[in-house]
Every structure is written in structure tokens, then in C-alpha cells.
Amino acid sequence: MVSTPARDTTPDAARDPDGRPYVDGFRPATLDWDGWTCADCIVCATGWQCADCRACTNFALPYPPHCVQAWTEGHPERGIEAFGGPGGMSAGRALVDDSGDWVLIEFNRDAAATARAAGHWVVEADIRTLDPRHPVLRHVRRFHGSPPCQTLSGAGRRSGWSTGEIAELQSVMWQASEAFGFLEVDDLCSLYGGPHSYVGDVLDGMEDHPDADGVGDLCHGGHLPPTMTPDEFREWAASTVSDDRTALMAEMLIWPMCLIQIGAPLVSITMEQSANILKQSPALAEAIQSEITSVEGFGWAWCSWQIADAADYGAATHRVRAWMVATRYAEPRYAEHVDGDQAARQMWAHVLKRTGRLPDWTPELNRRIDPYQGRPALPKVTVAAALDLPEDWWADTRGKRGINPATGKPKGGGSFPLAAVGPCVTAPWYAIKFRPADVPQGEGPHTITAADLGALVGFPRDKQWVHIPTRKNSRGVRNVAQMIADPVSPLIGAAVSAAVQGEDWYEPTAAYQAALYRLHRPGADAERQESHERHAQLVGVR
């Protein structure tokens, strides 16, 4: 970010909001800002827009220039989406609330360009290079994050499953409330030279102070000021893990806490992550939940964790993910209270079977959201129906392979029937081949397009997938497939977004699913049969 200069840069002792000097050189870790806003801008006072004003544009960087203006009632709610990817959550959010004013933060340049092509304001940067205390973020009301899942995914090296590493990172994340100014104490007088560290705990050498056994003018309760900068906390978190991508989970506390610390009226936090954060590393989920709901942290009204599958919300492929929903003042829409003990025994049945007891640290599972609220589930969509292919065909994701003589099946897996909801899309699907059941594995005549691959996840077929070549003639087919495989499915994104903002998800999502997969379209069955016959003629079978 572009920091704003402090009006007074002299090395005098730092002072609290009431003008009292802190002792012993203590200086709260807050962003220096001289208080300048668009209201002080001479250019804007003449009627110019912030986007046309150099002062506002430079002050707001890397965020939209209009964020310099104070938010007023009736204007779109402002939100920050961390790890925004190509815009999956944003597409889902648009189904239930297309009036939001969101900024996406994304490091991958292809994903950033793809989200930008969809009309989003994208800060293309490593999130660790940004300071969430930027003054223009003082009006943010919503926060969403989809941190990288590589270290938690079962397909990776699983360093995020390490009990020792996670315990260390959990311990660090427990300190976020103190680091960012949310720790409430009953005596702050030691900050101003008084006798106590806390009431009843007299500092060495202060035993003869007249207020040692009582309460004086500087002895009062309140919140300790922030003691660490975001960068210092990030460095601390990264020092506890072998792969700093795991430490990116700390951003889910750093950003909300810093936003609130600078005065942002934040009212909701949502997060999507690998289901393994609950299955294999629940201590991380516990650390975030405890900091959000405990009186030593945010003290918010609600923070729930659950695992959900995008296929249960209308997608043509499975995408099982962990979801967190947190709200500040009241329960979210679709709130449901359940038996937490039973939910825990189901969630960690694999741990119970192995050890005879539940994990030591887990989030509370006695609450969840149920977007359906007793309504009929959206139709299950098979891969065949989604791509207009024959139901008796198969897909091969890994090319031609030998047959395992013991099972009679292709070695290495990667084949599945089209007559069911498909498995989770992965990057190798860029080379997928479709074939009739009697055609040898790996010899299918049809491949897949990026548009159809995106549709299987839940994206509209006309979405523009952008690849920025790093070498001449690079088409980036696998890169695009990976980009499609990573993000939130818009179908479940709509349900989670609706829990905290906008309108109910059910009707708009049902309409979107029907249009995306061409459900209930007049003449669709006859067209599909004709298409199937053409396919059969092409491969020489009837």
C-alpha cells in the first residue's frame, strides 16, 4: 500500500486517544495517518470525482479511489475478499446481492486477470504485503477469505496436518486479540507509569506508590492498545510452520481485527477452506472460532463451522469444503442449533476409531447454517446432463493406462461414468476424454473445453478465463484448468453469501442452475437424443 505521511514525525512519546503519554517508550502498533480524507480535498471540493483526482487516487491506492469518501446510508456495502481467485465467491454473491462494493485480493496473475475481466476491482498482490489498517478501509462491513489449501489438501504434502506445527500456529493465533488491541484488562495504569500491571499486581519498585494498594487517577480498565503490527504477527506465525502457506490462515484474524481496530463497522466474516482444516487440523479452526466469539477476542454473537458439498447445492461435480460463518450482532440467516457432541463424534469418527477419543482442540459444532430450511434440494445434475453427452458414456482423466489383472480396471484410476455427479474437478481434467462404454479406456473421441470445465464447477459458460503467457505460444491449458479447479463454486457461494447479506439464495440459484445446465428447456430431451445419435454415428456405434 501507499502509506500516508504522519503530520507529526517528531520522536516524542506516543500518546493515547486522550492525550496521555505512554511510559518507557511504549508506542502502540498503529498505522500513522494524519486524518486526511476526501472531505479535505481541494480538488474534490470543486466537483471532481475521486477517480479523476490525483490526491484521492494516490491516497486510496491500491484500493478504488471512491473508498476515500466516507460511506453513507443507502450506498453499496463495502467488502474485502482475500484470496479472491478468479471470482467464484463473487459470482455466487452476485446471485443474491449484486449491489455490493467489493475489492478482491489475489496473488496469481491469471486468476487476478480473470476476476478483473469479470468486472471486479482486484488488488493483484501478495496479501502479506498489504496493511489492513489502510485508512480507506475504515468503512468495510464484510470480509471473506479462501486461503490456499495446498498444505491441508490430501493431494499435497500435508504439512498442514502436522500436530506439532498446528499446535504452535494455534498458540500464535490465540494471541491475535492481544496483538491487535482486543484484550480487555481491569487496570491500564502501568502504561502511564502507575504502580500496577493489573489491579492487585504491584510492579517491582512501586510498592511505596500511594496507589499501590488502591486505585488512582490512572488506574482504570479498558483494552490494551495493539502491541504488534500485521507484519510482525505474520512473521511470528510463519516462524512456526515449515510451509508459510499454512501461516496464511492467520490472515483470517489479522484482517478482521485490524479493520475493526481502525473503526470499520465489520459485521460478518465468511471463509472457505479445505475440509481437512476440520478433519485433520481442527485446532486451527478452534483458534479462529475462539478469537471471534470469546470475550477476550471479538465477542461476536455467532461463529459456526461445517463441511458442505457444492453438489448438494446444484453443481454437477462434487466440491467438499469447510465453511465458516461469523456474524457480529445476531445469528445469521439459516441459523440452526444442533447436538454438538453428536456432530463432533461424526466429524472426528476416524480419530475416535484410532485413538478412542476426540482431538484435544476442536471448534464447537453445535451450530451451523442450513440454507435449505426444509425446502426441496436443487436437482442433482449429472456430468452427462451438464455437458449434453450420453448417460452411458465414460470420462478418462489420465490418458490410456494398462489394466490391473487383479481387478480388471485401468491402473491409476481417473475414469468415471457420466451418469452421476462428477468427482471434484482437478487440473488434469484439461486432457479429459469422453467415450462410449465399449470404447477402450483412453481412446475417447471427445475432449473438454474450458467453458464446459467451468460449467461443471458452476461457472457460466461465457466466463472469460484469462491466461497471460510466460513464454511464446504458451496456451496455458493446464494453468486454466488449475484455475477452474481451485475456486469456490458460485452455487454454494450464493448460499453462504445469503446467510450474511442480500436476499434468500434459493430462487435465484435455482434459476441460475436451470439456465447453466439447460434444465427444463422446451425440446431439450429431443435435442439431447439427437445429439446422442450424432455422437454414436461419429464413433461408429448405435
Side-chain angles (χ1 to χ4, degrees), residues 82-330:
F83 316 103
M89 189 67 179
S90 300
R93 186 164 52 239
L95 292 176
V96 298
D97 182 11
D98 60 1
S99 64
D101 183 5
W102 284 74
V103 172
L104 277 59
I105 301 171
E106 174 55 42
F107 179 64
N108 180 278
R109 66 178 186 173
D110 288 351
T114 298
R116 201 174 287 119
H120 304 298
W121 183 283
V122 183
V123 176
E124 187 177 335
D126 184 330
I127 195 170
R128 293 166 293 190
T129 67
L130 301 175
D131 192 326
R133 302 168 300 171
H134 194 303
V136 301
L137 301 180
R138 291 174 297 117
H139 304 286
V140 170
R141 289 177 56 85
R142 309 284 181 185
F143 183 81
H144 172 79
S146 297
C149 65
Q150 291 94 332
T151 64
L152 291 167
S153 171
R157 295 185 177 181
R158 307 180 184 181
S159 62
W161 295 17
S162 168
T163 303
E165 284 192 10
I166 295 304
E168 290 289 331
L169 183 56
Q170 176 193 33
S171 180
V172 170
M173 292 172 69
W174 276 339
Q175 311 306 313
S177 55
E178 181 174 359
F180 299 117
F182 288 87
L183 185 61
E184 187 172 10
V185 296
D186 53 13
D187 188 353
L188 293 171
C189 70
S190 65
L191 292 174
Y192 311 108
H196 312 127
S197 57
Y198 298 97
V199 169
D201 183 7
V202 181
L203 294 168
D204 291 343
M206 302 292 286
E207 293 85 357
D208 295 331
H209 192 285
D211 296 322
D213 298 320
V215 178
D217 292 340
L218 297 178
C219 303
H220 61 88
H223 288 89
L224 290 173
T227 58
M228 300 184 77
T229 66
D231 284 347
E232 289 168 343
F233 194 82
R234 287 161 173 159
E235 183 177 357
W236 188 19
S239 70
T240 66
V241 294
S242 59
D243 190 321
D244 60 5
R245 289 176 296 183
T246 306
L248 288 172
M249 287 296 299
E251 300 295 330
M252 294 305 301
L253 290 176
I254 292 172
W255 278 78
M257 286 191 166
C258 287
L259 289 172
I260 291 178
Q261 187 61 44
I262 64 173
L266 198 68
V267 293
S268 71
I269 307 169
T270 53
M271 179 171 72
E272 179 259 4
Q273 178 55 279
S274 164
N276 285 324
I277 192 175
L278 290 176
K279 291 287 189 178
Q280 304 295 340
S281 305
L284 282 182
E286 187 280 335
I288 295 173
Q289 186 185 67
S290 64
E291 289 293 282
I292 289 176
T293 60
S294 70
V295 293
E296 292 84 6
F298 278 170
W300 278 22
W302 177 282
C303 182
S304 61
W305 279 96
Q306 66 195 82
I307 290 177
D309 185 355
D312 293 333
Y313 294 84
T317 52
H318 293 286
R319 186 160 298 232
V320 180
R321 296 290 189 266
W323 286 90
M324 185 196 79
V325 173
T327 48
R328 187 171 189 171
Y329 298 116

Side-chain angles (χ1 to χ4, degrees), residues 440-457:
Q441 184 275 328
E443 297 182 10
H446 296 283
T447 57
I448 197 168
T449 65
D452 283 341
L453 197 59
L456 290 177
V457 173

Side-chain angles (χ1 to χ4, degrees), residues 382-385 389-395 416-421 434-435:
T382 68
V383 174
L389 291 172
E391 292 281 342
D392 59 350
W393 278 32
W394 281 68
F416 60 88
L418 304 192
V421 174
F434 301 110
R435 60 181 172 87

